[in-house]
Amino acid sequence: MADSNLMRGTKVLTAATLASKILGFIYVVPFSALVGQTGLGLYSYGYTPYTILLSLATLGFPLAVSKFVSKYQSMGDYETGYRLFKSGLLVMSITGLLAFLLLFFMAPVITPLVLPNEQAGVNSYEDITFTIRMVSVALLIVPIMGMIRGYFQGSGQMMPTAVSQVIEQIVRICFILSAAFLIMNVGNGEIGLAVGFATFGAFIGGLAGLAVLLMYLFKSRTTIIGLAQSKHSKKPLPLKAMYKELIWYAVPLSIVGLAIPLFQLIDTMTINGALARIGMGEVSENFVGVLTQSAHKIVLIPMALATALSITLVPTITRAYTEGDQVKLQRLITQTFQLILFITLPAAVGLAVLSDPIFVALFSIEDLAIGGETLQYYGPITLLFSLFSVTAAILQGINRQVLAITALLSGLILKLALNHLLLVSMGPNGAILATYIGFIVAIGVTVWGIGKYTSFSYQKIVQRACILLGFSLIMAAVVWFITMGLRLSFPLENRFNSFVLSGVGALSGAIVYAYLTYRSGLAEVVLGERFRKPD
């Protein structure tokens, strides 16, 4: 019964995480209509350093606390996890306060780094500083919220995290859109003020999420304290030893979880200066908005779906590795890779083919020149994001955290070394190419590590990847012909026509891909017997 409840809770949490990601994408569409791509660029100037500071403030403690509490409660020691939780709340309060102060007072220093020449940009230094400072306030409460979520998850209670995540996102989005609408349409219409208040939505949403968690905590307090007092270790674990073990869990989780934000930070810090150097300063802030917000949010949807489905296999992989069950280990890793490829390969190809109608349907025809091309080249990176996320998680699951960090650092060093050079030589697409190179190298390291430490053979995965790529290319060809034909009646000149083109294109692509994978038997192999073709 306990395992059944845990699995049900895990599914609920996975669904809530996916819903939160989808909501995080949906709001960008009306928000961009209010503030434009330049406003989205300004939003990323504040949100990217905030994400980095948030990870540094929490140091991966919420996830590590979940693992720590789960370990000791499985041994019947509830007191140790509860002691860690209470002291962890104090630690997160202190680190959150320090991170807030650092980001708030460093805002004027960060500003000229993201926009070296104020005259060359649309956004002013004052607006950028204001935006960074407004989002920094969320650092006071989000780390505390993460600690509470980690404790609940470690105790096998997924519902508090799931509910608080969704409520936090809904309240945040409502505040963002309401504030932006009122300022742009009722107030003075200043984009800097609208975006600044939009980033403050992280704090408002955090308050709502924290309120939900405190409600669950209040309802559970009697049970939590009772278990901690009745089921404890014979020899209490000292706090020093407790935090030593916790940090061993936490730091790798924190660093690897920063992969995408760190790549984005490099873009945020280098794009404006590099493009201004080659005479493209007038489009650089629009490109930052498209790359780090509009196109990026679209790319994260298939990645979120693929990783949500496949990451649930990682704990089972860890158990099989610990028990030395080589047959089960090979099967689970194969299943994980197959799921990732099955979902993200067609999504990657589809985003490239339908980039123009998708961008116009979601955003605007005015920014199509830069937005459509960016999505076309950046869309396929959803495959690399997914592969790195899952392969790094597998390495951590088999206790090879250092190798996962090494993989990320290798990719980041290449991204940092190449970004400016490729931007200057190729224009905006140089930043995208540098991201591809960085993630390919990082994935190369993680894939090598999995093969080495689990004796995993990639032969079957390579064969199926080639088949899925072939199916995806057939799908792409069909979609291209259909959309080109439709353009005769629905030219790409307004949002309605773009919805028709992208909708019919996506539906026809899904039908073709589903038919090919079903008739070949691959759907059954990847998704299970429910998709078996009739004899």
Side-chain angles (χ1 to χ4, degrees):
M1 179 64 75
D3 288 342
S4 174
N5 289 337
L6 183 60
M7 283 302 297
R8 187 162 55 249
T10 302
K11 288 178 181 178
V12 169
L13 182 55
T14 301
T17 302
L18 186 59
S20 183
K21 294 282 187 185
I22 293 172
L23 287 170
F25 159 70
I26 291 173
Y27 90 89
V28 174
V29 178
F31 184 55
S32 69
L34 290 167
V35 300
Q37 296 300 324
T38 304
L40 289 182
L42 176 58
Y43 187 88
S44 73
Y45 296 156
Y47 223 82
T48 301
Y50 160 76
T51 304
I52 304 296
L53 263 293
L54 177 60
S55 292
L56 292 176
T58 57
L59 275 177
F61 271 32
L63 280 173
V65 164
S66 173
K67 186 174 180 180
F68 184 97
V69 170
S70 177
K71 171 187 170 181
Y72 281 92
Q73 287 192 1
S74 68
M75 297 161 53
D77 181 1
Y78 286 75
E79 181 196 29
T80 297
Y82 183 59
R83 285 173 55 228
L84 175 66
F85 172 58
K86 289 194 298 182
S87 64
L89 287 175
L90 177 61
V91 171
M92 289 297 97
S93 299
I94 294 171
T95 58
L97 174 61
L98 292 175
F100 157 69
L101 293 173
L102 180 62
L103 187 57
F104 186 90
F105 289 108
M106 286 291 289
V109 178
I110 297 171
T111 295
L113 295 177
V114 299
L115 189 65
N117 183 359
E118 184 177 19
Q119 282 70 40
V122 178
N123 295 306
S124 68
Y125 279 6
E126 183 182 357
D127 288 341
I128 299 173
T129 301
F130 175 68
T131 298
I132 295 172
R133 283 180 165 170
M134 287 293 276
V135 75
S136 69
V137 183
L139 290 166
L140 292 170
I141 59 170
V142 176
I144 298 171
M145 188 163 56
M147 177 61 68
I148 300 173
R149 284 173 175 165
Y151 182 74
F152 273 124
Q153 287 172 238
S155 302
Q157 300 181 59
M158 307 300 174
M159 195 60 74
T161 299
V163 175
S164 67
Q165 273 186 349
V166 174
I167 295 297
E168 177 191 3
Q169 191 72 297
I170 290 173
V171 171
R172 185 176 79 92
I173 290 169
C174 289
F175 181 85
I176 287 172
L177 296 180
S178 299
F181 177 82
L182 289 172
I183 291 170
M184 296 301 296
N185 293 286
V186 180
N188 55 19
E190 287 185 14
I191 289 179
L193 187 64
V195 174
F197 272 94
T199 58
F200 189 68
F203 175 74
I204 301 299
L207 283 178
L210 183 60
V212 171
L213 289 169
L214 290 176
M215 180 189 72
Y216 274 103
L217 200 59
F218 182 78
K219 288 170 63 177
S220 307
R221 71 191 188 287
T222 305
T223 304
I224 291 172
I225 295 171
L227 286 171
Q229 290 175 344
S230 64
K231 298 182 180 181
H232 53 79
S233 57
K234 294 179 181 178
K235 185 180 180 182
L237 190 68
L239 277 177
K240 183 178 179 181
M242 198 183 293
Y243 275 94
K244 183 179 179 181
E245 182 178 349
L246 186 69
I247 289 170
W248 173 248
Y249 293 155
V251 173
L253 289 169
S254 176
I255 294 174
V256 173
L258 276 172
I260 295 175
L262 286 172
F263 272 77
Q264 282 195 307
L265 182 65
I266 293 171
D267 283 332
T268 304
M269 295 294 185
T270 56
I271 287 173
N272 286 317
L275 293 185
R277 182 178 169 186
I278 58 173
M280 296 184 69
E282 73 281 357
V283 300
S284 66
E285 290 199 89
N286 266 21
F287 177 62
V288 171
V290 171
L291 183 63
T292 62
Q293 292 294 319
S294 306
H296 185 71
K297 295 289 187 182
I298 296 171
V299 162
L300 289 182
I301 295 299
M303 175 204 166
L305 177 60
T307 52
L309 291 174
S310 58
I311 209 77
T312 55
L313 295 170
V314 172
T316 318
I317 290 172
T318 303
R319 194 176 304 116
Y321 176 79
T322 305
E323 294 170 354
D325 189 340
Q326 195 62 25
V327 174
K328 185 177 181 181
L329 183 64
Q330 301 295 313
R331 177 173 56 80
L332 288 168
I333 294 177
T334 299
Q335 189 178 352
T336 302
F337 276 111
Q338 285 177 167
L339 262 175
I340 288 288
L341 295 170
F342 190 86
I343 295 169
T344 55
L345 258 177
V349 174
L351 284 174
V353 174
L354 293 171
S355 57
D356 282 0
I358 287 175
F359 190 86
V360 175
L362 295 175
F363 299 104
S364 67
I365 189 74
E366 289 78 14
D367 295 304
L368 175 61
I370 194 165
E373 183 178 348
T374 300
L375 183 57
Q376 181 180 21
Y377 292 116
Y378 190 66
I381 210 164
T382 188
L383 172 62
L384 301 186
F385 285 172
S386 303
L387 281 173
F388 179 77
S389 175
V390 172
T391 53
I394 292 173
L395 281 179
Q396 292 176 84
I398 64 174
N399 208 27
R400 299 291 169 180
Q401 294 94 329
V402 174
L403 187 58
I405 295 172
T406 302
L408 174 58
L409 292 178
S410 301
L412 279 172
I413 290 169
L414 271 173
K415 168 73 173 175
L416 188 60
L418 294 173
N419 218 52
H420 183 85
L421 177 66
L422 292 176
L423 278 164
V424 170
S425 60
M426 295 176 58
N429 289 333
I432 299 173
L433 178 58
T435 300
Y436 273 101
I437 293 171
F439 267 98
I440 287 170
V441 169
I443 292 166
V445 176
T446 58
V447 165
W448 170 83
I450 291 169
K452 177 178 173 61
Y453 294 109
T454 67
S455 301
F456 181 72
S457 172
Y458 287 98
Q459 183 177 353
K460 188 182 293 184
I461 294 299
V462 171
Q463 291 172 350
R464 286 176 181 163
C466 290
I467 295 171
L468 289 170
L469 179 59
F471 288 166
S472 298
L473 292 176
I474 294 171
M475 175 201 76
V478 172
V479 170
W480 188 84
F481 277 110
I482 289 175
T483 51
M484 286 299 105
L486 275 175
R487 282 196 183 193
L488 298 175
S489 302
F490 297 91
L492 190 63
E493 56 188 24
N494 58 55
R495 182 165 283 183
F496 175 77
N497 288 1
S498 300
F499 268 115
V500 173
L501 291 169
S502 55
V504 173
L507 181 61
S508 59
I511 291 171
V512 170
Y513 185 75
Y515 176 80
L516 291 171
T517 54
Y518 178 71
R519 295 301 302 174
S520 67
L522 260 180
E524 179 190 348
V525 170
V526 177
L527 301 177
E529 293 184 358
R530 286 175 298 174
F531 296 89
R532 174 181 292 175
K533 65 176 181 177
D535 296 329

